[in-house]
């Protein structure tokens, strides 16, 4: 029984130590505007998923456009720039629909 308690305390201590390793340096601060629909963590997760989906879709559409216009190979840097911009626009639109405004620390 004592061994089980120490084992549980060890697991809890390891989980707490590893929780401090999560990098949140590039996450924006969410300022509530009015009455938010969801808590900030939930809204961020939902909108990050939307932004990631938009990123993939924008890259796919760029490649399709490059094929339709006859370019043999799409420009990777331009595709990345367009996809990142589309993902950011989607994130900002989603987060504002959730009742927040983003504040980025530069």
């Amino acid at each position: 029984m004592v061994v089980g308690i120490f084992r549980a305390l060890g697991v809890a201590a390891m989980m707490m130590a590893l929780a401090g390793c999560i990098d949140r340096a590039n996450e924006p601060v969410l300022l509530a505007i009015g009455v938010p629909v969801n808590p900030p963590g939930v809204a961020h997760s939902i909108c990050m998923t939307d932004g990631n989906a938009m990123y993939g879709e924008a890259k796919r559409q760029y490649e399709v456009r490059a094929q339709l216009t006859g370019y043999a190979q799409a420009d990777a840097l331009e595709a990345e720039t367009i996809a990142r911009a589309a993902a950011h626009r989607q994130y900002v639109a989603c987060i504002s629909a959730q009742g927040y405004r983003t504040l980025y620390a530069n």
Side-chain angles (χ1 to χ4, degrees):
M1 173 145 170
V2 174
V3 174
I5 292 173
F6 284 122
R7 197 174 284 168
L9 287 174
V11 169
M14 187 179 352
M15 287 174 40
M16 288 176 51
L18 291 175
C21 296
I22 298 173
D23 180 23
R24 300 195 186 277
N26 294 323
E27 284 187 13
V29 175
L30 300 179
L31 302 174
I33 306 297
V35 180
V37 177
N38 290 310
V42 174
H44 178 72
S45 296
I46 290 170
C47 295
M48 280 300 290
T49 303
D50 283 356
N52 289 338
M54 180 56 75
Y55 176 85
E57 182 64 22
K59 269 199 140 165
R60 189 188 67 74
Q61 286 181 8
Y62 181 83
E63 292 170 2
V64 168
R65 270 188 244 114
Q67 289 175 355
L68 289 174
T69 56
Y71 290 122
Q73 187 173 357
D75 183 11
L77 179 61
E78 186 178 8
E80 178 71 18
T81 303
I82 289 171
R84 290 185 80 170
H88 181 71
R89 285 191 305 269
Q90 180 65 32
Y91 177 80
V92 170
C94 176
I95 214 70
S96 66
Q98 292 284 327
Y100 292 97
R101 182 169 294 160
T102 57
L103 176 66
Y104 292 94
N106 289 332

